[in-house]
Structures are given as C-alpha cells and as structure tokens.
Amino acid sequence: IILENNPGISYNSMKMYESFVEMAFENNLYKFFEFINDCFLNRLSNRDMINFNEKDLKILMLSILFQSDFYFPISEMENSEGYSDIYLKRSHLFPNTKHEWVFELKYIKETESRKKKFIETKKQEAVLQLQKYKTSNYFKDRTDVRFIAVVFIGKSNFVSEEV
C-alpha cells in the first residue's frame, strides 16, 4: 500500500531478508549487523545520535528482527544469571535453522571510539555477561545456541565476538 501510494519511495527489503537467511542457515551475522549500520544507523542525523544509547539500539534491532519468520525475538529474557539483551528463539515455521542466538549489545559514541581501550572494555563487559548466561539453567546444556557480544560504534562501525 505504501509503495502504491508513494511511487517515488525506494524500499528494498531484500537486504533484510538476505541477512535473516544468512543468520538462520549460514550462521553468519555479519550481513545483519552490516544491514543495521548501513540501512539504519548510518542514516540517522547527528542530532538523532546526541542521546542515542544501547536501549535505542536494541529497540531499533528488535523492530527489524520482529519482521523475521525464522526467529521469535525475546527482549530482556530472564535467566538464572541475568537478562539477555536479545534472545532469538527458533521459529516453529523454520525448525531447521541451525542455531538460536543470544546478543549482548553495547553502544559507544563515535567520540568515545577514539579510545581503543574503551571499545575493548565494552566488548569484554558483554563477553562476561554472555559467559554467565551460557552457564544459566536455561542455556547450560544447549549446544544449539550461539552467544554474540556486539559493540556498535557511532553510526558506521561495529565489532563482535562469539563466546
């Protein structure tokens, strides 16, 4: 309906869909995080980024992930070791997806990224949280779940590490 009423608008959902397929069947998150950077964060104004924080990033990512049929995104899922930022539970529609995912997100402003140690510190905070979740009652015996620490840096970069 939007495309019919606005013939000049350009929206290509194929990049989003391809990133979901890569995540579900190839165990590759790079396209998804690249999609977040290129199609969303990179398009926000500097004014939008003034008070931008981890919670804003999480809401943005969830709004995209809710469009996937491959996973059921769960925000702040409680487990015996805390609350995971985003847990991507396998959808019953695609039971052959290779893995479920747990994301621990961090966000730092572009100005803070000049301190390389700060980026590493934030990433290690996320890694430590994920290590605790991995040993929680819900996840401890699961071999089908992967744990990813992601630090988004400003509008144009990210680093990640699997635990």
Side-chain angles (χ1 to χ4, degrees), residues 32-149:
F32 176 70
F33 295 139
E34 186 177 58
F35 174 73
I36 297 293
N37 262 340
D38 294 348
C39 296
F40 291 91
L41 293 179
N42 203 17
R43 294 180 181 189
L44 295 175
S45 74
N46 289 336
R47 185 148 175 82
D48 290 327
M49 301 305 281
I50 290 173
N51 293 316
F52 195 85
N53 60 35
E54 182 182 311
K55 185 175 182 179
D56 298 321
L57 173 65
K58 185 175 75 164
I59 297 300
L60 175 72
M61 287 180 69
L62 284 168
S63 68
I64 296 161
L65 289 165
F66 286 139
Q67 298 177 61
S68 169
D69 290 333
F70 299 110
Y71 295 102
F72 180 72
I74 301 170
S75 175
E76 297 293 327
M77 188 181 94
E78 183 177 0
N79 61 63
S80 60
E81 295 298 328
Y83 299 86
S84 54
D85 282 341
I86 298 176
Y87 168 44
L88 296 180
K89 183 176 176 62
R90 185 180 287 106
S91 168
H92 68 283
L93 300 173
F94 292 92
N96 59 337
T97 57
K98 290 186 176 182
H99 291 95
E100 295 182 345
W101 300 91
V102 175
F103 296 162
E104 187 59 37
L105 306 173
K106 300 294 178 194
Y107 175 79
I108 62 173
K109 296 189 176 295
E110 195 78 41
T111 53
E112 297 169 322
S113 71
R114 295 183 187 118
K115 307 170 199 164
K116 296 290 182 202
K117 188 174 181 180
F118 191 66
I119 296 171
E120 189 59 32
T121 299
K122 283 294 186 184
K123 187 171 75 170
Q124 286 310 308
E125 284 177 21
V127 165
L128 290 172
Q129 285 175 273
L130 287 168
Q131 287 171 340
K132 289 194 317 187
Y133 303 153
K134 200 172 184 176
T135 61
S136 72
N137 293 337
Y138 188 79
F139 293 117
K140 69 179 172 188
D141 295 325
R142 304 273 310 267
T143 58
D144 64 330
V145 181
R146 295 178 69 182
F147 299 81
I148 306 295

